[in-house]
Amino acid sequence: MDTVVRSPSPADLARGLAALRSWQRDDALVQLHPGDLGWAWRQGADAVARAVRIWEVDGQIVAFGFLDGPTTLRMTVAPERWTDPDLARALAADASDPGTGVLPSGPASIEVPDGTALRGALHAAGWGAGESWTPLSLDLAAPIGVHGSSLHVEIVHGADTSDFTAVHRSAWDNGSFTDERWRAMSAGAPFAEARCLLGRDDAGEPVAGITVWSAGRGRPGLIEPLGVHAAHRGAGHGTAICVAGAALLRETGASTAWVCTPSDLDSAVATYRAAGFTRLPERLDCVRQA
């Protein structure tokens, strides 16, 4: 089996996104999602394309990788090929060889779904266990319960995004998410099926925000990210905006809402559980030391 790995041009990125979108299934839950690329689109389409790696066999896309930083690769495989040992060995070899352009030499980490042969192939190639992540999911078959908070929720539109971006900057103590970055993100292809929600308290103050990404009707949707303004924590606003985001995903036809957070962020895990999400087994990154 001959695999070919390459970075797509911005024009060819749409084909890769279509494949990634079609791979979202409830029986292949918690894998790289179009929303992950959508959130990264705030850096622009060219930056996203440079960070993508696509593997093909006979012209068919069989695996997809996204560099979430210079040494962190988030990967997934076409669900029908999850247990293919030959493909897994080829992918692991490419990821391990700096000459392929997938990852540079030195320390690196790879996020890969549990249940794939790729995880075992990486371990066989010398990759060890790394950071622990906690996935959580919510079945959207039934209506979403109403949260007791008095949070007032609105959909964010491009005409006025300043309150939403300000909440995000405060929540993550990071000044990089500006209105300009929001406009770049919202211009990306994945945002066609995404929404940003802003929550205000009874005084009208912006206190919480969430972005939800759909992959189409009958497919799992992603929360990425959720944040509460630093001055308004501890009032249940995170749980309330999470419930609102899940309800919106259900309205768009998503089958499941899911999110993945570092396991040591106890407050984040507690927020999602309070919103009705079920904690799934922890997942460990695969890492390569120097």
Side-chain angles (χ1 to χ4, degrees):
M1 178 182 62
D2 293 327
T3 60
V4 177
V5 58
R6 61 186 176 84
S7 292
S9 67
D12 194 40
L13 187 56
R15 179 169 164 263
L17 278 168
L20 189 60
R21 183 177 185 268
S22 72
W23 296 349
Q24 307 304 312
R25 305 188 325 208
D26 287 328
D27 62 352
L29 194 60
V30 190
Q31 59 172 312
L32 187 66
H33 191 279
D36 292 309
L37 273 71
W39 175 238
W41 220 285
R42 64 197 190 279
Q43 306 294 341
D46 289 347
V48 171
R50 287 194 300 269
V52 167
R53 305 292 184 268
I54 290 175
W55 282 264
E56 293 180 314
V57 174
D58 296 330
Q60 179 182 7
I61 298 175
V62 295
F64 194 106
F66 173 66
L67 281 168
D68 194 3
T71 61
T72 299
L73 182 69
R74 305 177 66 183
M75 282 190 72
T76 193
V77 181
E80 65 272 13
R81 308 291 289 267
W82 272 31
T83 58
D84 183 330
D86 294 332
L87 177 61
R89 284 190 290 269
L91 297 175
D94 284 343
S96 302
D97 179 4
T100 63
V102 175
L103 279 167
S105 59
S109 63
I110 298 178
E111 174 193 295
V112 59
D114 290 335
T116 60
L118 176 55
R119 179 172 290 274
L122 286 168
H123 289 314
W127 293 73
E131 184 178 6
S132 173
W133 295 80
T134 294
L136 301 103
S137 70
L138 177 64
D139 186 348
L140 298 179
I144 307 299
V146 178
H147 188 260
S149 167
S150 59
L151 197 68
H152 304 276
V153 179
E154 60 195 54
I155 294 178
V156 178
H157 298 287
D160 185 6
T161 61
S162 57
D163 284 345
F164 180 80
T165 58
V167 165
H168 180 88
R169 291 192 297 271
S170 174
W172 297 100
D173 192 23
N174 186 327
S176 66
F177 191 44
T178 62
D179 288 6
E180 183 180 4
R181 292 281 173 85
W182 188 93
R183 287 190 289 270
M185 177 185 75
S186 65
F191 198 80
E193 296 184 293
R195 295 292 184 274
C196 295
L197 297 179
L198 175 67
R200 299 182 184 274
D201 63 13
D202 287 337
E205 290 295 315
V207 297
I210 190 173
T211 303
V212 295
W213 305 86
S214 171
R217 300 191 67 84
R219 296 190 176 113
L222 173 70
I223 293 173
E224 174 66 17
L226 179 156
V228 177
H229 195 287
H232 297 277
R233 290 173 180 155
H237 298 320
T239 299
I241 198 73
C242 185
V243 169
L248 182 57
L249 279 174
R250 187 177 187 274
E251 289 178 17
T252 66
S255 58
T256 305
W258 70 267
V259 65
C260 201
T261 185
S263 296
D264 59 2
L265 291 182
D266 295 333
S267 61
V269 174
T271 293
Y272 294 118
R273 295 194 69 183
F277 282 63
T278 298
R279 185 172 184 162
L280 303 178
E282 288 185 330
R283 171 183 294 174
L284 301 179
D285 283 347
C286 298
V287 297
R288 179 181 62 198
Q289 303 302 329

